Amino acid sequence: MIGAGYYAKGVILVVVGTVDLAAGLNAPGKAAGGKGFGQALNDALQSLSDSQKKADQTVENFLTGGDVDPSQVTVAMEEARVKIELAVEVRNQIVNAYKDVWQMPI
Amino acid sequence: MKGGIRVNLFTSFSISASALTAERLRLDLIANNLANIDTAGKPGGAVYQREMPVFAQRLLQETGTDGQPVSVPGGVEVTAVVRDNTPPRLKYDPGSPLADNKGYVAYPNVNVVNEMVDMMTAVRTYQANVTAFNAAKAMFQKALTIGKT
């Protein structure tokens, strides 16, 4: 579980590296009145980071014998797991798009 | 409904989680009732009374699709723990130190059979909510496979 935090941070660093690129994609989205892609990505990463922290905190409380409902521990871990899977999927898509762009014949 | 409700997956996780916590509290109260089934007292004095939880629907404030705040269902919360006011069971036992001048002792108004049925219901409801949580998670994981051939 603690290792999952480090993995998530690695994923976040890779994806954050592309946020500058994504910020350039803000313009069309904002014109339509919604959040731009870059902003949505930022929000999603923030939410992932928050849920990781909350899951780690809940597990730590449980392991140090604190008064924690076991169902809350499991639910927090599952939520963090599901968000990591989503972040990995987003990273895969971004990396594939990057590869496709670089493989275009000049 | 005016404006749409934006459905958030993690709301469905927290709905099921609130139900799990509420049913565990219900089970704790049932266990307490069963533990105190023989906590007798003087009639008219302090006798253990059966405790029951009061559940209410929890509404979360979210922003709808038109930007206006809208209340979405957010699961269940325990608003109060109330005591059952039915009169205690009177048992004729003149030799007991708790007997009043007529020889009756007051026993709590806890019925073992009712508590057992409530306990089975609480366990089944807990299992049903775990299934609902797993279904929401399966739905999400299936969504991640969109576009994969």
Side-chain angles (χ1 to χ4, degrees):
Chain A
M1 193 61 227
I2 319 290
Y6 289 115
Y7 181 66
K9 286 176 187 120
V11 166
I12 287 171
L13 283 175
V14 167
V15 181
V16 162
T18 63
V19 168
D20 289 337
L21 171 68
L25 300 170
N26 258 344
K30 279 214 162 100
K35 289 197 282 195
F37 174 67
Q39 184 59 34
L41 196 57
N42 262 335
D43 290 348
L45 289 175
Q46 188 57 39
S47 152
L48 168 63
S49 164
D50 289 344
S51 78
Q52 277 291 315
K53 277 189 214 142
K54 184 177 147 211
D56 279 348
Q57 188 60 38
T58 321
V59 171
E60 199 183 305
N61 279 347
F62 177 68
L63 291 175
T64 59
D67 186 23
V68 161
D69 202 358
S71 63
Q72 296 302 324
V73 174
T74 337
V75 164
M77 290 199 306
E78 285 302 319
E79 201 173 307
R81 170 100 209 129
V82 145
K83 282 185 175 169
I84 282 185
E85 282 178 10
L86 178 60
V88 166
E89 207 47 45
V90 168
R91 184 212 64 175
N92 288 345
Q93 297 284 14
I94 290 177
V95 165
N96 284 341
Y98 178 78
K99 275 191 205 158
D100 284 344
V101 166
W102 275 101
Q103 277 167 3
M104 280 197 302
I106 295 173
Chain B
M1 255 175 252
K2 244 185 128 161
I5 294 184
R6 190 177 296 148
V7 177
N8 190 354
L9 171 85
F10 304 106
T11 310
S12 73
F13 284 175
S14 78
I15 289 173
S16 293
S18 71
L20 296 179
T21 311
E23 290 301 325
R24 279 206 63 243
L25 176 74
R26 183 199 284 269
L27 189 69
D28 283 349
L29 290 177
I30 291 171
N32 196 28
N33 287 341
L34 286 175
N36 282 302
I37 202 166
D38 279 332
T39 310
K42 247 181 151 61
V47 180
Y48 181 81
Q49 287 175 301
R50 178 173 162 247
E51 285 174 352
M52 308 178 289
V54 174
F55 291 169
Q57 180 175 324
R58 185 171 72 174
L59 293 172
L60 302 173
Q61 293 298 324
E62 297 271 342
T63 321
T65 52
D66 60 352
Q68 298 301 314
V70 69
S71 287
V72 293
V76 67
E77 60 185 352
V78 180
T79 49
V81 172
V82 295
R83 299 207 165 156
D84 192 354
N85 279 328
T86 58
R89 267 188 303 138
L90 293 175
K91 193 170 136 187
Y92 184 70
D93 188 10
S96 160
L98 297 166
D100 65 353
N101 51 3
K102 294 201 190 82
Y104 285 101
V105 180
Y107 277 84
N109 53 354
V110 174
N111 184 344
V112 170
V113 176
N114 285 347
E115 299 303 315
M116 293 299 285
V117 169
D118 286 347
M119 183 159 59
M120 289 194 290
T121 312
V123 170
R124 290 297 175 205
T125 310
Y126 192 92
Q127 289 170 349
N129 279 292
V130 169
T131 306
F133 183 95
N134 290 339
K137 186 178 164 206
M139 207 183 264
F140 178 78
Q141 285 176 329
K142 205 68 191 146
L144 289 181
T145 65
I146 291 176
K148 287 195 174 28
T149 49

